[in-house]
Amino acid sequence: MAISFQQSAAMSLESVQIGFMPPADQVSADNLQQLVVYVQSKGFDYVVSPINSPGYRRVLFEGEEPQSPAMMAWRAGLEAFKPEDLVLRTADHSDFIVGTLSQWQDFDSQDAKVRLHSELALRQQLNWASHLGLGGVMLPYPPSSQSLSNYGRVMTGSLSILPYTTCWLRVPCMDEDLEKNVAEELQGMKSWERWNSLRNMAGSESKLGVALELSGALPTDQVLDRWFAEPVKVIILPEDIFLTNNKGYPVLSKRHQHIVRKFFKFKPYFMVSSSTIPKLTLDEFSEDTLEHSLASPHADYIRYLHRTQEGPDVIDQFATGYQDYLQAPLQPLQDNLESSTYETFEKDPIKYQQYELAVERALRDRPVPTNGEPDVTVIMVVGAGRGPLVNCSLRAAEKAGRNVRVYAVEKNPNAFVTIQNMKALYWGDRVNIVFSDMRTWKAPEQADILVSELLGSFGDNELSPECLDGAQKVLKPDGISIPANYTAFVAPMSSNKLHADVSTFKDLAKFETSYVVMFKAVSLLAQPKPIWVFEHPNRVDIPLNQDPLSNHHNVRSGSIEFTSETSGMIHGVAGYFESVLYKDVLLSINPATHSPGMFSWFPIYFPVKTPLYVPAGAQVVLDFWRLTDTRKVWYEWRVSCKVESLGVIQSSALHNVGGRSSSIGLY
């Protein structure tokens, strides 16, 4: 029994679905049944077949008079398919078949009749595909020499005909006709440009995916990276790009293997295309009988690559279910976190390993008391949660051989219950627990070391600056803050998936809200750059042992310029942070310096309402503001693109003016 596309999508993540695509002009209604049997016997999961026979070209009515009765009747929809028009005549094996359109259809022809009849034929074909319940339909890549405008209009208007059928646009990763005079490092962008033009016409239509055809010569990794931000649903591997190993089996080059393995994590279908149709019927004593009964070596090889790919690392395991999923950042001052949220954060061994190391080094650097001074270092953990940083501090003290007195300050009444239990069962008199907001707490003594974990995905987006400003008065003049500083990083990014997800809300406020996201279908147009930094303790703006009179010193702004080496679409801004806990002990989610194995923070995504197209070599300018009033903190942002010879060629609106759509509450 054939496996439907709906069923295969729900199959184990360990499986990979592989189809076979013979040359369309060699598939007919007469050999279709044999082709299906052959493809199934070779271990493929589906087959690609033309919907119509070459004879369907008759609907062009070439040479007919303008008022031909037959042509006028067909245009009026008064004529159904004739049996000889069709390769797919029944719904038999419909869930095993992907249909393709007739190759003669020309939607941007100079001949108005050809354009019209191609469009009418497309609608008739798609209606038939929908009637049959085909698993998918693959649209052709338009000829390189032609405009895309009418094809884009026709395609966009026709997608609604297929309410339940997947629709893919076949796109070569290298359009040889368009790449002849293109610099080597930019080859492959022309194909993406043409897809991007059609996709933009279709908008965020989720039914339209890409069937990306790999070629023998591949673009650079930087160019291919654009495709990881697109809805690539199928990877087409022509048989002629395979090499033959010393045992006579087909294999891919190292570069092709690398690309295929990168695409595995997006779980596309695969398609092996052939320039010849196999021998479908065999004599009883044919020499090919044994080979005919064996699984396809090409399909076996793809499954081998899939089977032998590296398993998910600790970050990927943790991120399962969160990839490309929009989450609102935490509001720790307004909301009391749930126990499950604390538990999730506490599973990250790297973060606490670094905190423990930072506290240990800070303790070792403290001067040894002289003249009979008490040999006790006061550590205050502010925002203690359920106590993991308290445990880190106690272990660090043991390693450093220093006596410590620890305070654990927490305002969440539910988390405070947990640390009461921790004190009773484990900490004892070594730890003093305090139920209070760190900003208003009147400490009985001052701290040598102030420890906190208030960082957000953008560093300061969970109000670490405001919290630590209020807590700073409990720190001695020579006291140490852990973390010592944190820097926000930004980069222009492309992600059709994330932008489409925000678009589904049809609400401006959703485009003016930041989201915490584990990036997957995302491409950065340039590497992240720092935009601002916060340092603690802040001795410049806050009087000693006092609270700040206002929050204006925590306002920040930056205008950062990037060069996009390849063309792309900007769907928003990616945000990251780096933090110095103490001296050379760091935490980072910046891709260039990411702390290995740390998963407590995902990047942050700032959408732009209207995506911007960026040509290769253009400058992208990100303008960002962190603003505040007496009740809240918020971000505003805009994106612009400029070309050296022309200046600014496009710019987004200013997002989230006055914090009208999203903000972080101070109380």
Side-chain angles (χ1 to χ4, degrees), residues 18-150:
I18 306 171
F20 178 70
M21 180 167 60
D25 59 358
Q26 296 181 36
V27 181
S28 66
D30 294 332
N31 67 8
L32 179 63
Q33 177 62 33
Q34 294 170 328
L35 176 63
V36 168
V37 172
Y38 171 84
V39 168
Q40 289 175 332
S41 74
K42 302 299 282 184
F44 288 105
D45 300 293
Y46 63 95
V47 67
V48 182
S49 167
I51 296 171
N52 293 90
S53 68
Y56 186 52
R57 186 186 176 101
R58 67 178 180 80
V59 299
L60 286 180
F61 294 95
E62 294 166 302
E64 295 273 351
E65 294 295 325
Q67 299 299 320
S68 162
M71 182 175 72
M72 299 304 290
W74 181 79
R75 284 183 176 182
L78 301 178
E79 181 184 305
F81 280 126
K82 297 178 180 180
E84 58 268 25
D85 290 337
L86 294 166
V87 172
L88 305 182
R89 296 179 180 177
T90 70
D92 294 345
H93 310 294
S94 61
D95 58 357
F96 190 77
I97 295 173
V98 170
T100 59
L101 304 184
S102 299
Q103 295 177 331
W104 51 260
Q105 288 172 269
D106 188 348
F107 303 97
D108 286 275
S109 170
Q110 296 297 312
D111 187 322
K113 185 176 78 169
V114 172
R115 292 198 305 272
L116 174 62
H117 287 212
S118 294
E119 180 175 352
L120 295 176
L122 172 68
R123 291 182 173 275
Q124 191 174 25
Q125 289 171 306
L126 294 184
N127 273 306
W128 181 244
S130 181
H131 171 74
L132 293 178
L134 294 185
V137 171
M138 187 160 62
L139 303 176
Y141 181 72
S144 305
S145 59
Q146 292 184 352
S147 165
L148 298 173
S149 56
N150 195 52

Side-chain angles (χ1 to χ4, degrees), residues 27 32 297 321 382 386 469 567:
V27 181
L32 179 63
V382 290
R386 304 198 312 177
D469 284 353
S567 54

Side-chain angles (χ1 to χ4, degrees), residues 439 460 463-472 486 532-543 546-557 626-629 633 666:
R439 296 172 295 177
D460 56 82
L463 302 184
S464 179
E466 286 73 19
C467 292
L468 292 181
D469 284 353
Q472 182 174 304
Y486 34 92
W532 57 61
V533 63
F534 286 90
E535 296 186 351
H536 299 287
N538 182 354
R539 303 297 190 192
V540 175
D541 300 303
I542 302 174
Q546 296 183 36
D547 288 319
L549 295 178
S550 73
N551 197 35
H552 294 301
H553 61 282
N554 285 325
V555 168
R556 295 288 189 276
S557 64
R626 185 188 198 267
L627 302 170
T628 184
D629 59 21
V633 171
L666 288 168

Side-chain angles (χ1 to χ4, degrees), residues 213-216 237-243 273-275 298:
E213 185 168 10
L214 301 188
S215 53
L237 299 172
E239 284 184 347
D240 60 12
I241 72 169
F242 285 81
L243 308 174
S273 66
S274 178
S275 59
H298 298 86

Side-chain angles (χ1 to χ4, degrees), residues 135-250:
V137 171
M138 187 160 62
L139 303 176
Y141 181 72
S144 305
S145 59
Q146 292 184 352
S147 165
L148 298 173
S149 56
N150 195 52
Y151 185 32
R153 179 193 65 81
V154 171
M155 178 191 69
T156 301
S158 301
L159 288 172
S160 60
I161 297 174
L162 300 169
Y164 306 111
T165 302
T166 302
C167 194
W168 306 319
L169 178 70
R170 184 175 182 174
V171 183
C173 73
M174 293 276 277
D175 187 329
E176 294 181 1
D177 292 335
L178 295 177
E179 306 289 353
K180 293 176 181 177
N181 298 315
V182 176
E184 183 177 351
E185 64 272 15
L186 293 178
Q187 288 187 358
M189 287 309 303
K190 293 294 185 181
S191 293
W192 179 86
E193 297 267 6
R194 287 169 73 77
W195 151 254
N196 186 58
S197 178
L198 293 170
R199 187 268 312 276
N200 285 341
M201 291 185 72
S204 58
E205 175 57 61
S206 61
K207 279 197 294 290
L208 183 62
V210 175
L212 184 65
E213 185 168 10
L214 301 188
S215 53
L218 291 172
T220 64
D221 284 352
Q222 191 171 27
V223 170
L224 281 169
D225 189 59
R226 291 290 174 268
W227 290 110
F228 296 123
E230 304 295 349
V232 176
K233 304 299 184 183
V234 182
I235 299 296
I236 302 175
L237 299 172
E239 284 184 347
D240 60 12
I241 72 169
F242 285 81
L243 308 174
T244 303
N245 68 10
N246 55 13
K247 294 184 179 180
Y249 290 103

Side-chain angles (χ1 to χ4, degrees), residues 99 141 179 196 198 209 235 237 240 259 264 278 281 296 314 338 362 376 381 461 494 515 548 568 599 656:
Y141 181 72
E179 306 289 353
N196 186 58
L198 293 170
I235 299 296
L237 299 172
D240 60 12
I259 298 304
F264 276 147
T281 58
S296 162
V314 64
E338 301 291 337
V376 177
V381 179
N461 62 297
S494 177
Y515 301 92
F599 53 76
N656 199 33

